[in-house]
Amino acid sequence: MSRPKAIVVAGPGTNRDTAAARALDLAGADAEIILSARLVAEPELLDDAQMLVIAGGFSYADALGAGRMLALELTHGGTGRLGEMLRSFVDAGRPVLGICNGFQVLTRAGLLPGALGHNEQGRFECRWVELSAPPSRSIWTAGLGAVDVAGDSDGAGDGDDDNSGQATIHCPIAHGEGRYVHRDPAGLAADGQVALRYASGNPNGSVADIAGVCDPTGVVLGLMPHPEDHAVARQHPRYHRGGGGPAHLGLRLFQSGVRHAKEL
Amino acid sequence: MHRLTIRTTGTDPRLQALVNAARTSGVTVAHPDCVPIGIADIVFVHGSLTAGQRDELAAVLIDPLLQTGSWDTPTGRAVEVALLPGVTDDAATAVLTACRMLHIPVVAAAAGRRIELPNELPNELPNDLPNDLPNDSSNDADRVTEPVRELARTVLANPVIERWHAGTIEAHFADGHAGSNRAELVPIRTLDADQLAALNATRGLALDLAELQAIREHFVAARREPTDAELETLAQTWSEHCAHKTFQAAITTADGGSVPPLMGQLRRCTDQIAAPFVRSAFVGNAGIISFVPGVSLALKAETHNHPSAVEPFGGANTGVGGVIRDVLGTGHRPIAATDVLCFGLPDMPADQVPAGSLHPERIRDGVIAGVADYGNKIGLPTVAGAVLYDAGFTTNPLVFCGCIGIGDDRPLPAQPHPGDRVVVLGGRTGRDGIKGATFSSATMDATTGEVAGASVQIGDPITEKLLIDVIIGAEDLYRAITDCGAGGLSSAIGEMAECVGADIELGLVPLKYPGLEPWEIWLSEAQERMVLAVPPDQVPALLERCVEHGVELTDLGRFTGDGRLVVRHHDAVVVDLDLAFMHDGRPQRAMVAELPTPQRAIPTGRVVADVRGTLLALLAHRNIASKADVIHQYDHEILGSTIVRPITGVAADGPSDGVVIAHPGDTHGFAIGIGVNPWYGLHDPEAMAHAAVDEAIRNVVACGADPERVALLDNFSWGDPRRPSTLGELAAAVKGCCDAALAHRAPFVSGKDSLNNEYIGSDGRRHAVPPTLVITAVAHVPNANLVVTSDAAAAGDVLVLVGGTRTEFAGSHLDLILGEPAEPGVAPQPDPAAPARYRQLHAAIRAGLVRACHDVSEGGLAVSLAEMCIGGRLGVEVTSLPDANPITSLFAESIGRLVVEVHPRDLAAFTVLLAEPITVLGSVTDRDVLELPGVTPIRVDELVHAFTRSEQSS
């Protein structure tokens, strides 16, 4: 397969769908943005896709809890058939990614463990963070440790690689409800489901600095930060001072997902 | 009726915010029994639900890891708050959405919140009954103490949009009391001047006598009385807000001279510059420019001052929404938002806040939350801005919201053709935002907050996002477009129909709830609506797009070609106005100005005993100190195009001069810069305006924009122009704007004035804002890969000051810190050499000679150098100063200056390029101290501490 087909789901109020589609395209997929209402009406659209991304934003205004209405729509909307097909999609090993609001949707839809509460500081927070990818089952973070050292020459000397020797992913967060909550974070980590951790300070009070988690199969990933906003090197705030660079691109996450989809 | 109370497991972050606000308000200092101890959300569901359905709904609304919920009515001492019927209620909408998806039959839903107080028996005062709602119960639990009432009014609820109740609140649904469904005639033909004035006051028309007389004569000639809807339509169309009467007035000066109409001056100045990149200036909803073939930018900045004063969150929220619709009304996709906010002092003692005003801290927090909420949800980066504080903004906060949109070079939307359909898209119409244009055109007083309730609404950014998705890409389906802003349908359709005429049926307008009078439907400023002129054969295609995106479309009637505005309500004609009279019948206002006579002859220097302490105090001054705390609440990253952020440097806490936006796939981009300094305006409004233009341009040049390609927006927020001295200051500022624009060859493309920013306190005294002009510069960045930021880059680099330093201290921040002397001397004056200097500096940036660049503004050179140290976490050693007097060198605020960091090997090339004397100040060091001549070195961490301290303490 040359370029896997990716669906980017956008509900009413989703606003980072275009950026997610751009990142997927740059990573080698063919992305199409599909409105949630259409997907509910035509769930068979999933049959043609190898990847699914639920993009960030404020679906249904996030009223009474982020992501809840979109999760309900995707699982119960229409005849409920989309909900069944989503599970089959995952069972077939096709990669699913939920970014920010998409992560909130996936936890509410029962496809990912845990929940996302209001940030500890009680308000929306937009800032750049660094993410480490501990060894996990996630196919999305697989290979993030394999840094192309030559490609990192621009960003060399940052001293921002984490202790595991892996390059950290640099990208912004932008959320009000990103505090990850789980009753047994250590158990989750032991099960290989902690895919990403905040490596430059915990920006929202998430338990055990968890920024992203995967399902037991590793094909579903949810994360609060926005790797799609660091798809090209110039997007890094320190790019003009030699910061960032290929090893730290959020794009690498999408590339991993595309690589996996190609092998299906 | 079912009631679900939802509590957060563990700490609810909203609680601490309430406790802090209660402390600021002063209530809980004396009454510890009023310190909130808990907060919960309430959901009301009206319908017969089975136990199973309740469980199903609760499972959606409650996340067991985060919350607990109960269908039982809680007990205990509490205040409960709910939105007034008809106010945008996202939570209620969400409940209805959930019920629909779960196939649970419900009649209605509502939401609220519960704030719990320590248990202590209340005494015997009657409950608060705002907005004439019936008292649902009168038992003891609902009786409240005066401190609780005070807490509820000043902290827990805002009566402008909310009601509150001690104990448990009952849900109210907007069922709408029955309207008369007809227009009433308002006898005007026989009224004399006094009676016209009385009519003006009772109906809140905000017209002057000459205008009322013109309306009277029109209807005398028409041999009939106007309907209420006609009178209100004229009042809206002729309001200061919509008609800019002052900017179009014939002005005479006290000495018998005359000043050309202000609007005409600005337009003529743009015509004179004749910049090739201007596509459309001062026409329609926004200015349109094009720096690159095939790419067009729409620029607009607006104010939303009055609404933000009475309902800070909603006022600012709808201000952002309104300016985004302005840009959408030019067929451009909004891509960035800006905001400039002016507040009173947030630490003002509660007992000094004038009656009827909200506390400045409450206004600030609400406005910032409102700006953040709309931009974040609609998905626009909120990038450039400023936050200023002055006691003069206590009762009149200023909220300037800007938006930039992008489009291609297709022809701009034009005029409707006869036969086109009048189509409304977007949100439903309710009794919200009635008469906003006249409200915002009047001076406020202590009762404004109570009567203005209907003028303010909370925005619905999701609906507006869907509107953008429908409209962008539908360019072939409509002929003309405008947004529903002040005046609602009356002004949108009235403006579009100006050259053709229209005939519409109000009975077709989708309503939030029944019972609106025809004039209310016609004037409602319900948000998130656009009006389009659609050729009849394109309506089905547009409808299809709307259905796909879930946007409501209503065909209200047709553009006619007969030059009349005919509005029907269930076939009865409620408005039949001659559009020529409506738009051209208003008599030109004649006004008198007393021009200011600023002192420019005798400069006075300053004496500063403790330079070190003064610099740290300046860095900690609210106006200069870090705004990172605010900026982090705005999503400034979304769309992935923000290249230079509003904060910069090693720790992302240095202030940027301008911001640069460039699509990830493009080399070129554009920069946004802001210029504002009301304190200069108190001394010399003309010089202030010149300084604001210069600063806005300086800021974009500093980050890599081309000074040859700059477009400007003006926003004036002033006091009552009927006071000759106030109008004189305005006229002087317009002259300064024009002179500066001509000097820089940077044309104004759009502008807006907000006058009457005054407040008559219950003490009877007038409180006017300082004359505040905000200039927004939008400029071409030819190479977004070569942007420059303000943080010091590398030890060993040379620091150079470009521009001349003069003894200009009037209005300076040094004076704000140390107190203004009896002879403040001269405010910063225009620098004729600045335009050439900026062009040379840009050439140096293009040549790669500039490593960092920071403008010199509030606080002077010392502050600029300190900010470069903070951004780069590097030291700076200054060995020579630009003026013989070190205090003038360090703290004067002469305009036209920038500090430039260059590599030592590039200094000669840079010096040659600049072609004017420059000052080599010293160099960047790795010693982590700022070293100024004759001053004990200041550690960089001390600078950082001062710069970030005030945001932590307030």
Side-chain angles (χ1 to χ4, degrees):
Chain A
M1 183 190 306
S2 52
R3 293 176 74 88
K5 189 168 175 345
I7 288 178
V8 177
V9 183
T14 298
N15 58 25
R16 275 182 158 92
D17 43 333
T18 314
R22 185 197 299 139
L24 283 163
D25 286 341
L26 284 171
D30 280 332
E32 184 186 1
I33 297 167
I34 297 185
L35 298 177
S36 56
R38 184 172 166 220
L39 203 55
V40 167
E42 303 171 50
E44 61 281 3
L45 286 167
L46 278 185
D47 288 335
D48 295 334
Q50 286 77 48
M51 304 174 74
L52 182 74
V53 176
I54 306 175
F58 289 82
S59 57
Y60 292 99
D62 277 359
L64 291 172
R68 293 185 191 188
M69 296 307 135
L70 184 56
L72 185 63
E73 183 181 21
L74 296 181
T75 52
H76 286 66
T79 60
R81 189 162 143 63
L82 177 62
E84 295 163 23
M85 290 197 59
L86 278 174
R87 280 171 208 287
S88 316
F89 193 91
V90 174
D91 291 343
R94 290 186 250 182
V96 174
L97 175 65
I99 307 169
C100 194
N101 198 230
F103 185 17
Q104 294 158 341
V105 168
L106 290 173
T107 59
R108 289 298 299 170
L111 288 169
L112 287 174
L116 294 147
H118 285 277
N119 293 351
E120 190 175 52
Q121 63 273 37
R123 62 186 186 205
F124 187 93
E125 192 78 25
C126 175
R127 63 169 73 237
W128 276 67
V129 296
E130 296 176 17
L131 304 173
S132 65
S136 77
R137 295 171 185 271
S138 176
I139 61 97
W140 291 91
T141 57
L144 288 196
V147 180
D148 173 0
V149 177
D152 192 27
S153 59
D154 285 43
D158 287 293
D160 51 5
D161 290 357
D162 78 351
N163 296 333
S164 70
Q166 285 189 328
T168 52
I169 297 295
H170 298 189
C171 66
I173 59 161
H175 58 244
E177 296 178 50
R179 179 175 50 91
Y180 187 69
V181 177
H182 192 278
R183 293 210 168 97
D184 180 17
L188 194 67
D191 290 343
Q193 288 185 255
V194 173
L196 292 162
R197 289 189 205 266
Y198 297 108
S200 55
N202 188 329
N204 54 24
S206 288
V207 65
D209 299 337
I210 293 174
V213 297
C214 64
D215 72 332
T217 72
V219 298
V220 184
L221 173 70
L223 79 165
M224 287 312 298
H226 290 284
E228 75 277 25
D229 284 346
H230 190 197
V232 302
R234 195 181 66 187
Q235 289 172 318
H236 194 282
R238 301 286 291 164
Y239 171 75
H240 67 298
R241 295 267 192 259
H248 303 290
L249 283 176
L251 184 68
R252 299 182 64 219
L253 215 62
F254 294 90
Q255 288 166 333
S256 296
V258 169
R259 202 155 45 232
H260 184 84
K262 278 183 179 174
E263 289 162 7
L264 284 176
Chain B
M1 180 70 62
H2 304 268
R3 174 195 158 117
L4 178 63
T5 309
I6 306 172
R7 286 165 205 284
T8 299
T9 309
T11 316
D12 189 324
R14 292 176 297 177
L15 182 63
Q16 193 56 49
L18 278 184
V19 171
N20 294 346
R23 192 187 307 122
T24 305
S25 77
V27 181
T28 55
V29 176
H31 302 277
D33 63 315
C34 287
V35 176
I37 56 167
I39 184 166
D41 291 300
I42 313 165
V43 167
F44 297 98
V45 185
H46 184 17
S48 1
L49 274 61
T50 64
Q53 287 171 327
R54 294 213 310 197
D55 290 348
E56 227 183 332
L57 183 58
V60 170
L61 300 180
I62 296 163
D63 191 317
L65 279 174
L66 305 171
Q67 299 156 308
T68 57
S70 166
W71 293 96
D72 299 329
T73 302
T75 55
R77 198 158 154 261
V79 170
E80 295 193 345
V81 180
L83 291 167
L84 292 170
V87 174
T88 303
D89 187 345
D90 284 340
T93 309
V95 171
L96 291 174
T97 305
C99 289
R100 196 181 66 239
M101 289 176 189
L102 293 168
H103 310 291
I104 298 174
V106 291
V107 179
R113 63 185 183 277
R114 174 180 174 83
I115 296 94
E116 292 171 335
L117 304 174
N119 266 317
E120 189 158 307
L121 280 179
N123 69 16
E124 296 294 307
L125 280 166
N127 210 336
D128 191 76
L129 293 173
N131 300 285
D132 301 314
L133 287 164
N135 192 1
D136 339 284
S137 68
S138 56
N139 63 35
D140 283 350
D142 293 335
R143 294 187 179 275
V144 291
T145 60
E146 188 52 38
V148 168
R149 179 194 311 279
E150 178 74 10
L151 179 76
R153 275 185 184 152
T154 59
V155 178
L156 305 182
N158 184 353
V160 172
I161 53 162
E162 292 168 323
R163 60 199 174 88
W164 62 273
H165 205 91
T168 54
I169 201 164
E170 296 292 318
H172 285 284
F173 299 105
D175 49 1
H177 41 80
S180 65
N181 281 338
R182 61 189 171 81
E184 277 178 33
L185 293 179
V186 183
I188 192 174
R189 287 183 291 173
T190 56
L191 301 189
D192 63 22
D194 289 344
Q195 290 166 321
L196 284 172
L199 177 72
N200 193 41
T202 40
R203 295 199 78 97
L205 301 175
L207 295 170
D208 69 15
L209 184 60
E211 291 155 357
L212 290 159
Q213 285 168 334
I215 293 172
R216 182 183 66 193
E217 297 322 310
H218 179 76
F219 284 97
V220 167
R223 298 176 182 225
R224 66 175 178 94
E225 300 291 1
T227 65
D228 51 4
E230 286 173 330
L231 195 56
E232 298 290 354
T233 302
L234 290 168
Q236 296 288 317
T237 310
W238 292 8
S239 67
E240 181 68 65
H241 186 93
C242 292
H244 305 284
K245 295 186 274 202
T246 298
F247 265 65
Q248 299 189 341
I251 300 174
T252 49
T253 52
D255 60 5
S258 69
V259 175
L262 304 179
M263 185 82 84
Q265 290 187 47
L266 289 162
R267 286 178 188 217
R268 203 163 40 253
C269 159
T270 295
D271 291 344
Q272 223 174 313
I273 294 167
F277 55 82
V278 176
R279 289 188 69 194
S280 166
F282 295 109
V283 179
N285 287 315
I288 317 280
I289 57 176
S290 176
F291 293 133
V292 175
V295 182
S296 170
L297 297 175
L299 326 177
K300 182 62 183 270
E302 267 280 13
T303 49
H304 228 218
N305 303 337
H306 282 49
S308 302
V310 296
E311 183 1 56
F313 180 93
N317 201 238
T318 52
V320 176
V323 78
I324 292 171
R325 284 196 307 281
D326 277 331
V327 162
L328 186 58
T330 64
H332 285 61
R333 175 187 287 282
I335 55 166
T338 66
D339 64 278
V340 175
L341 313 175
C342 303
F343 302 120
L345 306 178
D347 56 358
M348 177 179 241
D351 57 5
Q352 287 177 21
V353 176
S357 296
L358 300 176
H359 191 280
E361 184 177 50
R362 187 176 184 193
I363 293 178
R364 178 193 64 178
D365 293 350
V367 164
I368 289 170
V371 169
D373 177 81
Y374 211 99
N376 294 351
K377 285 185 176 164
I378 202 166
L380 289 187
T382 301
V383 281
V387 186
L388 307 177
Y389 296 93
D390 189 278
F393 300 122
T394 301
T395 48
N396 287 95
L398 304 182
V399 176
F400 301 84
C401 308
C403 182
I404 294 170
I406 195 160
D408 54 27
D409 52 0
R410 71 173 62 229
L412 298 170
Q415 294 296 317
H417 288 189
D420 286 351
R421 304 305 299 176
V422 180
V423 169
V424 178
L425 302 186
R428 295 191 154 223
T429 300
R431 199 175 276 114
D432 41 285
I434 304 274
K435 300 176 73 165
T438 46
F439 163 55
S440 63
S441 301
T443 298
M444 300 202 289
D445 62 29
T447 65
T448 300
E450 285 154 41
V451 302
S455 289
V456 188
Q457 178 57 283
I458 289 181
D460 176 4
I462 305 305
T463 295
E464 191 150 307
K465 163 86 167 64
L466 299 176
L467 268 178
I468 295 172
D469 293 341
V470 163
I471 289 167
I472 299 303
E475 291 77 11
D476 297 330
L477 303 181
Y478 63 86
R479 202 170 339 249
I481 180 170
T482 197
D483 79 302
C484 271
L489 293 173
S490 77
S491 131
I493 298 176
E495 278 173 30
M496 282 178 98
E498 181 170 357
C499 302
V500 278
D503 188 336
I504 66 143
E505 170 55 70
L506 287 180
L508 298 170
V509 174
L511 301 180
K512 291 180 177 177
Y513 40 85
L516 271 69
E517 301 290 343
W519 73 268
E520 290 178 315
I521 302 173
W522 182 231
L523 291 154
S524 164
E525 295 179 7
Q527 300 287 308
E528 289 90 25
R529 299 177 303 166
M530 302 290 293
V531 181
L532 281 73
V534 183
D537 57 342
Q538 302 290 8
V539 174
L542 187 62
L543 180 61
E544 195 178 318
R545 277 186 78 88
C546 287
V547 170
E548 184 193 342
H549 290 276
V551 169
E552 203 158 17
L553 175 151
T554 313
D555 183 341
L556 292 184
R558 55 191 277 270
F559 291 100
T560 52
D562 64 5
R564 294 199 76 79
L565 180 61
V566 179
V567 180
R568 302 167 199 275
H569 188 254
H570 299 302
D571 294 328
V573 173
V574 296
V575 172
D576 183 356
L577 281 173
D578 175 9
L579 278 156
F581 172 70
M582 188 170 145
H583 290 290
D584 304 323
R586 183 180 58 79
Q588 186 186 29
R589 190 168 264 188
M591 305 183 78
V592 178
E594 188 185 307
L595 295 173
T597 50
Q599 200 280 95
R600 292 174 185 158
I602 308 159
T604 51
R606 296 293 185 272
V607 176
V608 173
D610 175 11
V611 168
R612 192 177 191 281
T614 300
L615 173 55
L616 291 172
L618 279 167
L619 288 172
H621 189 278
R622 282 192 186 85
N623 295 336
I624 294 171
S626 172
K627 305 297 183 297
D629 194 41
V630 175
I631 292 164
H632 284 304
Q633 295 175 58
Y634 303 147
D635 190 343
H636 48 277
E637 298 287 345
I638 190 162
L639 304 183
S641 300
T642 314
I643 302 299
V644 174
R645 279 91 176 155
I647 40 182
T648 191
V650 171
D653 57 2
S656 291
D657 291 327
V659 295
V660 175
I661 307 283
H663 186 277
D666 290 339
T667 304
H668 65 85
F670 63 88
I672 313 171
I674 304 283
V676 53
N677 194 316
W679 299 277
Y680 299 163
L682 296 171
H683 298 273
D684 188 340
E686 183 183 335
M688 176 270 270
H690 203 111
V693 170
D694 190 90
E695 184 185 14
I697 296 175
R698 198 159 74 235
N699 281 334
V700 291
V701 171
C703 56
D706 180 355
E708 297 276 1
R709 289 154 163 267
V710 183
L712 301 173
L713 303 176
D714 64 73
N715 284 90
F716 295 85
S717 279
W718 236 252
D720 185 347
R722 282 164 292 199
R723 190 189 306 109
S725 60
T726 302
L727 182 61
E729 289 163 5
L730 188 60
V734 168
K735 180 175 187 301
C737 281
C738 291
D739 290 350
L742 287 168
H744 286 280
R745 303 200 63 73
F748 285 97
V749 295
S750 177
K752 197 82 195 240
D753 54 281
S754 164
L755 308 178
N756 302 304
N757 289 291
E758 301 207 353
Y759 175 93
I760 302 170
S762 44
D763 55 2
R765 285 184 305 172
R766 298 187 77 91
H767 308 258
V769 292
T772 306
L773 167 66
V774 172
I775 299 291
T776 307
V778 176
H780 181 55
V781 174
N783 188 347
N785 299 319
L786 281 180
V787 295
V788 178
T789 53
S790 68
D791 49 312
D797 283 356
V798 180
L799 291 177
V800 168
L801 177 70
V802 300
T805 302
R806 294 166 296 275
T807 310
E808 294 169 328
F809 283 102
S812 67
H813 271 63
L814 185 70
D815 281 3
L816 290 185
I817 297 275
L818 299 181
E820 188 173 282
E823 297 292 338
V826 180
Q829 295 298 309
D831 177 357
R837 178 179 315 130
Y838 298 165
R839 282 154 176 76
Q840 300 310 323
L841 175 60
H842 180 63
I845 290 174
R846 293 296 297 277
L849 302 179
V850 175
R851 309 253 287 200
C853 183
H854 191 24
D855 98 305
V856 180
S857 55
E858 287 88 352
L861 177 63
V863 166
S864 289
L865 291 168
E867 288 174 343
M868 293 181 80
C869 291
I870 292 166
R873 292 295 196 275
L874 286 167
V876 161
E877 181 186 18
V878 175
T879 49
S880 75
L881 289 170
D883 191 89
N885 181 321
I887 301 308
T888 300
S889 292
L890 293 174
F891 299 114
E893 296 189 9
S894 299
I895 67 170
R897 297 182 299 162
L898 302 108
V899 179
V900 183
E901 178 180 336
V902 295
H903 192 280
R905 68 164 180 261
D906 295 330
L907 181 59
F910 181 82
T911 309
V912 169
L913 256 184
L914 258 286
E916 66 170 359
I918 58 172
T919 307
V920 177
L921 297 167
S923 57
V924 178
T925 73
D926 55 8
R927 290 197 291 278
D928 294 334
V929 287
L930 172 60
E931 298 164 85
L932 300 169
V935 181
T936 314
I938 312 174
R939 292 200 320 274
V940 172
D941 60 4
E942 284 180 274
L943 300 173
V944 171
H945 179 73
F947 189 63
T948 53
R949 186 179 56 191
S950 68
E951 65 174 316
Q952 288 156 3
S953 66
S954 66

